[in-house]
Amino acid sequence: MVAISIKFLSRTEPPDAIVLWTTIIWVPLSLLPALAVWEWPDAASWGWVAAAGFFGTVSHMGWTRANRLADASVIAPISFVQLPVVAVLAWLLFGETVDRWTVVGAAVIFGSTFYIARREARLARRTLSDPESAPEAAFVQPPDWYAERRIDLRTGTRVTAIDPGSSTITCRSSGQLPSTS
């Protein structure tokens, strides 16, 4: 849900503003439950706290920029890498082991995301190949973005070949079309 929200926001808002507002919203929301178990870090831990904050912010900025450039269903699987990386680091650094509930939870998350990604890809292909669908259904960016770049989106047209050498695109129904990139 967060990735989809970021995707929609990235159409109109700059990535740095999204990161700032996300932080402004989530810090107070996280503070309330944290107060129940809060322990002040010792002097040696403050460096780790600062590093986590820095790298977390840089990662969030990169993730927000990625959501602006690509479809959320394309980049969402990248976040699956987090679970095994965190599990390995928790084992190496803290001696934690993976229990069955972690495995069950990971399987549910992976399975549901895999199912949703496949379903959305099928729906997107159907939408793009259906000549009756509304053209705006194919837009990943706002319509003005395409107009400013002189990009002509054609729904219901199947591309059969792209030739970068001759800058042409071959379509099943309309033959060859010029391409500028």
Side-chain angles (χ1 to χ4, degrees), residues 37-48:
V37 294
W38 184 259
E39 291 181 24
W40 283 99
D42 59 16
S45 298
W46 279 108
W48 291 108

Side-chain angles (χ1 to χ4, degrees), residues 18-121:
I18 295 170
V19 171
L20 177 66
W21 280 107
T22 304
T23 303
I24 288 171
I25 291 168
W26 279 104
V27 166
L29 289 174
S30 301
L31 179 64
L32 294 174
L35 288 175
V37 294
W38 184 259
E39 291 181 24
W40 283 99
D42 59 16
S45 298
W46 279 108
W48 291 108
V49 170
F54 173 77
F55 288 114
T57 301
V58 169
S59 298
H60 192 186
M61 293 172 92
W63 183 254
T64 303
R65 283 173 171 72
N67 271 288
R68 184 179 196 132
L69 297 173
D71 189 49
S73 64
V74 172
I75 61 174
I78 294 168
S79 46
F80 286 128
V81 174
Q82 289 174 325
L83 183 62
V85 168
V86 169
V88 168
L89 288 175
W91 175 67
L92 289 173
L93 298 174
F94 306 110
E96 292 186 19
T97 58
V98 176
D99 64 5
R100 70 176 170 185
W101 293 113
T102 303
V103 173
V104 168
V108 168
I109 292 169
F110 177 79
S112 62
T113 305
F114 182 74
Y115 167 76
I116 290 168
R118 287 182 49 92
R119 187 193 72 198
E120 291 299 317

